[in-house]
């Protein structure tokens, strides 16, 4: 059979220069939605003259095989299955097409199915299985071409049997020159048309259908690519390329940007499901590149398989097989040894054990049937001992023997039931056969040891006031140490109106000047859903503001995968309903939330409480002086000074809230009390706390300026208070407390109490906080934590302590 090339050498060259091949498998075409996505990719990512190779839609090939089987056994079942197939195929047509195109394709489809029904009833004879199988690919090529046409794209379907000619064999032998001429004659005269070609099928010289083997469409694609001398074949999959290990078994795998032909071939040979071994056969290795790319997430990394000069020794992929069979033969049977050596199916590895006179051949379980049939044919079944229950783990990469990864691999596996460890013939893999089940934990451990993959944490700093600046200074000092566990990057610094953002990480030298230059207006609610684009493994937001708006967005941060560290008390002390929502979403999205500095600034309060609870203790009550401001005011107060003067001085020293009334009403203390109570698991809300405010009624609804003017109105009542206490030999203090009652209810209050003058609570350093904690274990004497409860250095340090805790949590979570 000959076919003359009818196009000019220039046209052929133009095809080689411009045409690329794209391949879509059945799962990419499973339903109408998938078809539309493929059509979009073909429009946007394929050139105007590219070839698109398709498999049968969804599981059509399996359905056809089931119908063929049923036709021999049970006609009733076969009819049901055929009706379902017809409904599925015609459903796709009616869903995707309209008007004339729909009518036309439905007519063709009805004609096809009329033949099928004829075949099923025995009227029309299609005895040839491959012909039935071919329909799957024919239907998908036709439908995709029509869908593109409907969208105004020039496209046409080609049945590969019209040009791809082969001689029948278990793996058909392609007649390259005729096939090449046939294809070029068909496409070269039509630049600007996207041709949709059936994968999987070809034809013998007499026109009988042949198939290229299960999952043969990848092979069709590289074959067709090589016929037109294409530079690139893109295999679109539902995964983003080739990974460092099977993502179904191993966590934290990475997609590999480049693979060498040898590495890809070795991977395929070792049974990795990425590409069929035959895919590589027809490839002109100097010219072609195979790209493996995600059709679900086109923006993701792709893997390019080609001829790369990078011959650096490096292990790239950890691959494994759960079921491996060993065949043991006697070395003295020279004929059988010879037969094994010549067998087309190459074993995973083979070796001799001279002392026992044995040779071993390891194969994947999938090939067992083929091997048993072969042994019967050569009449050697009795000479072979089959051994089950083995697994394989291999590390694939160029010149593996020279890598340090090899010794890691060897050391780790020697501790297992290792049956054999050896290199592949070309030194592109080290292969271990284990006499045990495949263990995913072992795979995970090996993977992280071999690739020493450093995970990254992106940090968003919200608030660049006192604490923000102090923390950034601290971070810069500790940067090296912080980066030991993870690759930590500051992604952005935000104040209330502007942000300076860079997903590659901010350069923090002279950051204040850079902020002034680069910061832009922003909308926090819009920024949050964008953050995952930073490409970090983990994200954390440091809320160093006192902003209710930021606190309100916590659920949105969590839902977008962001952990939170708060110095801001507002979320932790929000109304119970909002607090509940924040906690629910945090739990649902498995995010971390640390807020150690919201109570007692840097004092290790939350840490101590949690440690006690986790160790089996129960907290009964916490009381004390929770506010540095109030501590300062009262420790300096006596009958000789005016309270209003103290308030004014505290304000000047920056010790109060911007409006001191937030301190005098006890608001700030209530917040801390709520946070502590919730920390130990109590359900408490604002109205549950008895509050005795120091602020007289008449000073409440007025402006800040007026309040500051009328401050002396505080003096009279405060003076009274002081004298009243003095008469009892005591001093007044603003205390906060909550206690779990015997009936499990909670009593919580914030108010003035008279304390004996010699008591610890009456003798603090001005500004000092004190927390008195009673528990089951600390019930005769309380556990007391005291120290400065405010200040930018200690608070920044507390934020850093939270960050350290997050880092160790994240790195532990991904070990082993
Ligand atoms: N449709 C064929 C099969 O299922 C070919 C392919 O999908 O690659 O085997
Ligand atoms: Mg603290």
């Amino acid at each position: 059979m000959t076919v003359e090339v009818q196009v000019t050498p220039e046209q052929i060259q133009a095809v080689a220069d411009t045409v690329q091949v794209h391949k879509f498998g059945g799962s990419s075409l499973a339903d109408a939605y998938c078809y539309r996505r493929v059509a979009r990719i073909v429009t946007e990512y394929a050139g105007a003259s590219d070839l698109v190779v398709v498999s049968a839609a969804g599981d059509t090939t399996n359905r056809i095989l089931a119908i063929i089987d049923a036709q021999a056994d049970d006609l009733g079942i076969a009819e049901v299955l055929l009706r379902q197939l017809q409904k599925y195929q015609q459903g796709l047509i009616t869903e995707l097409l309209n008007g004339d195109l729909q009518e036309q394709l439905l007519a063709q489809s009805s004609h096809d199915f009329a033949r099928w029904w004829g075949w099923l009833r025995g009227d029309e004879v299609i005895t040839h299985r491959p012909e039935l199988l071919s329909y799957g690919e024919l239907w998908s090529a036709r439908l995709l071409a029509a869908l593109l046409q409907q969208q105004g794209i020039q496209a046409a379907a080609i049945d590969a049997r019209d040009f791809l000619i082969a001689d029948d064999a278990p793996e058909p032998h392609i007649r390259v020159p005729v096939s090449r001429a046939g294809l070029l004659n068909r496409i070269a005269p039509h630049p600007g048309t996207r041709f949709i070609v059936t994968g999987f099928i070809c034809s013998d010289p007499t026109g009988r259908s042949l198939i290229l083997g299960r999952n043969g469409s990848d092979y069709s694609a590289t074959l067709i690519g090589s016929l037109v001398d294409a530079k690139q074949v893109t295999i679109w999959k539902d995964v983003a390329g080739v990974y460092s290990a099977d993502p179904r078994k191993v966590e934290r795998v990475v997609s590999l940007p480049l693979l060498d032909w040898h590495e890809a071939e070795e991977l395929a040979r070792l049974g990795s499901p990425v590409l069929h071994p035959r895919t590589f056969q027809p490839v002109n290795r100097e010219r072609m590149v195979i790209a493996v790319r995600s059709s679900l997430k086109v923006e993701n990394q792709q893997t390019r398989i080609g001829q790369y000069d990078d011959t650096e020794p490096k292990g790239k992929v950890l691959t494994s097989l759960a079921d491996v069979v060993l065949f043991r033969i006697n070395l003295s049977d020279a004929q059988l040894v010879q037969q094994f050596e010549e067998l087309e199916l190459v074993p995973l590895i083979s070796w001799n054990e001279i002392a026992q006179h044995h040779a071993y051949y390891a194969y994947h379980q999938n090939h067992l049937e083929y091997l048993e049939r072969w042994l019967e044919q050569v009449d050697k079944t009795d000479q072979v001992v089959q051994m089950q229950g083995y697994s394989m783990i291999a590390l694939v990469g160029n010149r593996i023997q020279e890598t340090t990864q090899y010794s890691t691999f060897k050391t780790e596996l020697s501790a297992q039931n290792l049956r054999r460890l050896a290199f592949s013939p070309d030194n592109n893999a080290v292969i271990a056969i284990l006499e045990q089940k495949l263990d995913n934990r072992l795979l995970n451990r090996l993977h992280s040891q071999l690739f020493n993959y450093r995970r990254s944490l992106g940090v968003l700093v919200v608030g660049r006031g006192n604490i923000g600046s102090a923390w950034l200074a601290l971070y810069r000092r500790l940067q090296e140490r912080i980066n030991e566990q993870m690759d930590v990057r500051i992604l952005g610094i935000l104040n209330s109106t502007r942000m300076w953002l860079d997903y590659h990480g901010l350069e923090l030298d002279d950051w204040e000047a850079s902020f002034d230059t680069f910061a832009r207006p922003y909308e926090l609610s819009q920024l949050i859903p964008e953050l995952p684009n930073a490409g970090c493994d983990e994200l954390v937001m440091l809320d160093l503001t006192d902003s209710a708006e930021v606190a309100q967005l916590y659920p949105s941060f969590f839902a977008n995968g962001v952990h939170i560290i708060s110095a801001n008390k507002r979320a932790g002390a929000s109304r119970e309903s909002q607090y509940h929502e924040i906690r629910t979403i945090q739990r649902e999205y498995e995010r971390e939330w640390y807020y150690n500095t919201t109570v007692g600034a840097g004092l290790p309060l939350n840490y101590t409480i949690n440690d006690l609870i986790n160790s089996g203790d129960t907290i009964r009550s916490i009381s004390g002086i929770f506010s540095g401001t109030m501590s300062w005011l009262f420790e300096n107060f006596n009958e000789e000074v005016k309270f209003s003067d103290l308030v004014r001085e505290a304000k000047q020293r920056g010790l109060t809230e911007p409006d001191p009334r937030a301190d005098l009403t006890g608001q700030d203390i209530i917040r801390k009390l709520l946070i502590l109570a919730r920390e130990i698991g109590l359900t408490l809300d604002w109205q549950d706390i008895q509050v005795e405010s120091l602020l007289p009624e008449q000073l409440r609804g007025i402006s800040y300026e007026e309040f500051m003017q009328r401050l002396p109105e505080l003096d009279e009542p405060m003076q009274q208070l002081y004298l009243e206490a003095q008469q009892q030999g005591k001093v007044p203090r603003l205390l906060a407390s909550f206690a779990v009652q015997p009936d499990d209810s909670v009593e919580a209050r914030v108010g003035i109490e008279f304390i004996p003058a010699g008591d610890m609570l009456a003798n603090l350093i001005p500004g000092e906080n004190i927390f008195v904690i009673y528990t089951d274990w600390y019930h005769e004497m309380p556990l007391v934590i005291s120290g400065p409860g405010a200040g930018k250095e200690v608070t920044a340090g507390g934020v850093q302590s939270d960050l350290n805790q997050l880092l160790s949590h994240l790195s532990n979570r991904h070990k082993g």
Side-chain angles (χ1 to χ4, degrees), residues 424-553:
S424 69
D426 304 333
N427 192 17
N428 291 320
V430 52
I431 301 165
I433 300 291
L434 301 162
E435 196 168 352
Q436 65 192 37
K437 283 214 290 249
L438 194 61
D439 175 357
N440 283 355
R441 283 197 328 258
L442 171 63
L443 282 178
N444 275 278
R445 199 162 64 234
L446 261 173
H447 183 265
S448 56
Q449 283 175 16
L450 289 168
F451 302 114
N452 195 12
Y453 172 60
R454 267 172 71 74
R455 293 152 36 70
S456 59
L457 172 70
V459 182
L460 194 68
V461 184
V462 183
R464 48 152 299 186
N466 283 337
I467 302 173
S469 307
W471 181 77
L472 281 164
L474 180 62
Y475 171 79
R476 294 190 55 201
R477 190 149 62 76
L478 299 179
Q479 201 159 3
E480 221 166 283
R481 194 173 339 146
I482 294 171
N483 274 270
E484 271 167 21
Q485 298 192 56
M486 280 176 94
D487 175 13
V488 179
R489 251 178 276 167
I490 309 291
L491 303 179
I493 299 176
L494 286 67
N495 69 11
S496 59
T497 55
R498 296 193 306 147
M499 72 170 174
W500 173 33
L501 194 71
D502 184 346
Y503 287 164
H504 295 108
L506 303 181
E507 175 45 64
L508 292 175
D509 285 343
D510 215 358
W511 68 267
E512 272 146 325
S514 302
F515 184 91
D516 290 339
T517 317
F518 298 118
R520 300 274 170 270
Y522 73 100
E523 192 67 61
L524 192 54
S525 59
Q526 282 163 23
L527 171 67
I528 298 169
E530 297 291 318
L531 288 174
N533 295 339
C536 295
D537 295 300
E538 302 282 351
L539 293 163
V540 62
M541 188 270 291
L542 307 191
D543 180 1
L544 311 180
T545 70
D546 178 33
S547 151
E549 289 92 84
V550 177
Q552 243 168 22
L553 289 168

Side-chain angles (χ1 to χ4, degrees), residues 188 207 536 538 639 649 651 684 732:
C536 295
E538 302 282 351
E639 67 271 43
E649 189 184 338
K651 164 82 187 158
L684 205 65

Side-chain angles (χ1 to χ4, degrees), residues 596-597 599-603 605-606:
N596 148 49
T597 57
V599 184
L603 297 178
L605 203 65
N606 307 48

Side-chain angles (χ1 to χ4, degrees), residues 18 102 120 153 160 162 165 184 200 214 250 271 332 340 400 422 427-428 444 456-457 606 676 728 766 785:
T18 55
Q102 189 195 84
L120 201 62
I153 312 285
D162 293 345
I165 309 299
L184 286 169
F200 184 49
R214 279 319 299 269
V250 177
S332 54
F340 262 101
I400 200 74
N427 192 17
N428 291 320
N444 275 278
S456 59
L457 172 70
N606 307 48
L676 278 181
Q728 301 172 23
I785 297 176

